[in-house]
Amino acid sequence: MLRIFYYLAVWPTLLLLRILFWPVKLLLRILSWCLSRFSGSWAFWHADLGRMDGWEFEEYAARLLEKNGFRHVQVTRSSGDQGVDILAERDGTSYAIQCKHYTGKISNKAVQEAYAGAEYYGCDVPVVLTDSSFTRSARELGESIGVELWDGEALSLLQHRSF
């Protein structure tokens, strides 16, 4: 008798509730997925660069380059890297990137290291990437020997371009 009651009264009611709440359940799953993706992106784009150490800054820069269309992004080992922290490629051009996470201005030494490292690794474009700025002398040297200088403004542009 209980089984008949279940098939006649309870089962159709449960089926009706499932049908009615299916769109709500689907919507909640979609919202949950969107929030999880957005919260991860928000944490990445609003990373506190001031609290990062040099290694964390290199890893952050590598992920940022990947999100901006660079391929084969590789963080080099910390010792013996010949002045290059990240190797990357975009549109058939290889980049040797020296990361500098300083509060002061970046000097000629970083430009020289990036140039030498690019030659060592056989890369097309040497780059110095910083969240700071460059001395006048570093800008002049970079321009004369073909080293691209990506300062804090360029870093901010990379962050917003791929968001």
Side-chain angles (χ1 to χ4, degrees):
M1 192 69 165
L2 190 58
R3 196 174 278 176
I4 294 172
F5 174 75
Y6 174 77
Y7 286 117
L8 293 176
V10 176
W11 186 79
T13 305
L14 291 175
L15 181 63
L16 180 65
L17 287 174
R18 266 194 148 164
I19 292 170
L20 289 175
F21 285 105
W22 178 80
V24 174
K25 184 178 177 182
L26 181 63
L27 181 64
L28 288 175
R29 283 187 179 178
I30 291 170
L31 285 173
S32 173
W33 178 80
C34 289
L35 284 174
S36 68
R37 286 194 42 101
F38 179 74
S39 65
S41 296
W42 188 90
F44 178 76
W45 298 120
H46 295 87
D48 188 2
L49 296 177
R51 291 186 174 205
M52 291 183 186
D53 61 21
W55 182 82
E56 290 171 329
F57 181 71
E58 291 171 14
E59 292 291 327
Y60 176 78
R63 286 185 52 213
L64 188 60
L65 291 170
E66 286 175 342
K67 290 185 180 286
N68 275 275
F70 285 81
R71 300 288 172 242
H72 309 294
V73 178
Q74 174 186 357
V75 178
T76 61
R77 63 183 191 279
S78 59
S79 63
D81 63 8
Q82 303 300 324
V84 173
D85 299 313
I86 301 172
L87 297 170
E89 184 181 311
R90 184 163 94 182
D91 300 329
T93 304
S94 59
Y95 292 81
I97 302 166
Q98 167 71 291
C99 295
K100 292 294 182 185
H101 183 52
Y102 293 159
T103 54
K105 290 189 174 194
I106 308 303
S107 68
N108 284 5
K109 185 175 186 273
V111 177
Q112 294 165 353
E113 289 174 350
Y115 183 80
E119 290 295 317
Y120 177 80
Y121 285 104
C123 293
D124 302 319
V125 181
V127 177
V128 180
L129 171 66
T130 184
D131 57 336
S132 183
S133 60
F134 296 94
T135 63
R136 180 184 203 167
S137 177
R139 280 186 267 127
E140 290 171 357
L141 179 63
E143 188 176 317
S144 69
I145 63 175
V147 176
E148 291 187 14
L149 304 179
W150 298 351
D151 60 5
E153 287 182 33
L155 183 65
S156 179
L157 184 65
L158 281 174
Q159 289 173 324
H160 290 93
R161 186 182 308 156
S162 61
F163 192 90

